[in-house]
Structure formats: structure tokens, C-alpha cells
Amino acid sequence: MTGPLPDPFADQPDWAPRPPRPLAIVPATAQVELRGRRVLVGLPGLGWRGDLRADDRVVQGARTYVPVIPEHEWYRAEAEQVEVFAPLVPVDRVWVETVGDRPRLDETRSGIRLVSLDGPAHRSPTPVFEADAVTGRRVVHVEGGLEHRDLRAVTETYSGAEGDICVRITPEVEWYRWAWRGQSPTTLEVPVHLLWIE
């Protein structure tokens, strides 16, 4: 070897964990498990609606449908074991959020990002300290190399007791229980360098 070895930490501060894996959006027609998964519905060229959860596929006649439930109703049904209304959406109009592969360093870019209208697109995780507002947003907490998902931010950034800039987070089921019962969630104070907006 004739040159110095590249520094694997050159683009990453030593105190900052690696960002979480981004979400990938796949058609529900693919062989993916649907029950409880986050989904988007819509039509290519028209638009997409999110904050929905799916149940298992249903076949009626020759058509396949996906029961789709607003996320807050899905959590209420699961937590309180109650029946909720779930409209049936044709499977070809449903897309599933899955955790994708980590991009290579040379694939990350900033600036204007054009997307195809043939399917829903999703942004890469954004560090919370770069966001203008975080309350109510879905966040990923990265700690010790582990990604903790299905969390919501319940505050904006503030100065914590130890002097860190922090955000309080809660599991999504408690976020939604706060809405349907008025029961305040248990929260965790997390330094912003450990949080990304999903």
C-alpha cells in the first residue's frame, strides 16, 4: 500500500451516532406482511395519504383488498380490543412502509430532490436539530446502534437539566391514548443528537 488509509469517521463526529435506516415504500402487491404495518394509499399522479395502518389482505371474488385504518383508530383497537371501521382499499392502491437499507455515503445529497409520481416517495431521516418543529412528529431514537421506532415527539427542543438540548418523546400508543382518553403519556428526555425525524 502506498497511501494513508482513509478515515472511516471523517464525515461523522465522534459523538454522533449513525442516522437510522431510511424508510422504503413498497407496493402492497409484493409479498410483505401487512397486519399492523404503516401504509400509504392513493393513485399515481394524484397523490398519497399516510398515517394509516393495514390489516391482513381480504379476497372478495377475484379482487384483493386491504383493510386500512387511520393510525389513531388502529392503536385504539389494539390497546382496548375494540372493533373499528376499516374501509377496504384495492391492493394496487396501497403501499407499505418498510425499513430500507442504509445508503452509501456517496448516495447522500442535499438540495432539490425530484420524485416520480408513479409511487409515493419518502424523505431520508432528518436530524431533529435541523428541523424547524418536532412536536407530534414521528421520530427514531438511535442509541447504542439500535433504532427505536414508533415514537412521537411531545415537545419542541429545550435545554435539559444537564445542559443538553433535548426533546421529550413517547411511544406512539401513548401519544394516541392521550387523544382518546386524555391520559398524559409517560415521556423520556432524549438529547437531540440521538433523534431523527422519520
Side-chain angles (χ1 to χ4, degrees):
M1 269 179 50
T2 57
L5 292 174
D7 181 359
F9 302 105
D11 295 331
Q12 190 75 15
D14 59 353
W15 53 266
R18 291 180 68 188
R21 293 168 295 163
L23 293 178
I25 313 295
V26 298
T29 53
Q31 295 302 316
V32 294
E33 181 67 31
L34 290 181
R35 175 141 176 57
R37 300 291 292 275
R38 279 197 174 97
V39 294
L40 297 113
V41 298
L43 289 170
L46 180 64
W48 309 99
R49 180 166 188 262
D51 290 330
L52 303 167
R53 295 278 181 154
D55 207 341
D56 291 325
R57 294 170 182 84
V58 173
V59 177
Q60 291 184 348
R63 303 258 343 233
T64 302
Y65 298 93
V66 177
V68 175
I69 307 162
E71 198 166 57
H72 67 280
E73 287 291 300
W74 183 82
Y75 274 112
R76 188 170 68 84
E78 292 294 310
E80 299 195 351
Q81 296 298 299
V82 296
E83 295 284 327
V84 295
F85 176 72
L88 299 177
V89 179
V91 70
D92 58 338
R93 294 185 181 185
V94 179
W95 297 71
V96 184
E97 288 186 6
T98 62
V99 177
D101 296 325
R102 193 175 301 283
R104 296 189 328 254
L105 286 177
D106 59 348
E107 290 178 348
T108 58
R109 59 178 188 231
S110 59
I112 294 177
R113 182 179 72 109
L114 299 177
V115 299
S116 168
L117 295 180
D118 294 337
H122 205 282
R123 294 183 209 114
S124 296
T126 303
V128 163
F129 60 82
E130 291 181 11
D132 56 347
V134 295
T135 301
R137 309 266 310 262
R138 289 170 33 190
V139 294
V140 180
H141 177 202
V142 178
E143 184 177 41
L146 296 175
E147 299 173 5
H148 304 280
R149 294 178 184 265
D150 295 333
L151 303 167
R152 294 279 178 159
V154 296
T155 68
E156 294 298 327
T157 54
Y158 65 93
S159 181
E162 302 291 320
D164 289 331
I165 298 174
C166 298
V167 169
R168 294 198 79 79
I169 62 172
T170 192
E172 271 192 334
V173 68
E174 293 197 32
W175 169 259
Y176 287 114
R177 187 177 290 129
W178 195 9
W180 81 70
R181 275 197 194 159
Q183 179 180 340
S184 297
T186 57
T187 63
L188 176 66
E189 181 179 83
V190 179
V192 291
H193 69 274
L194 300 176
L195 291 173
W196 277 262
I197 293 175
E198 192 167 46

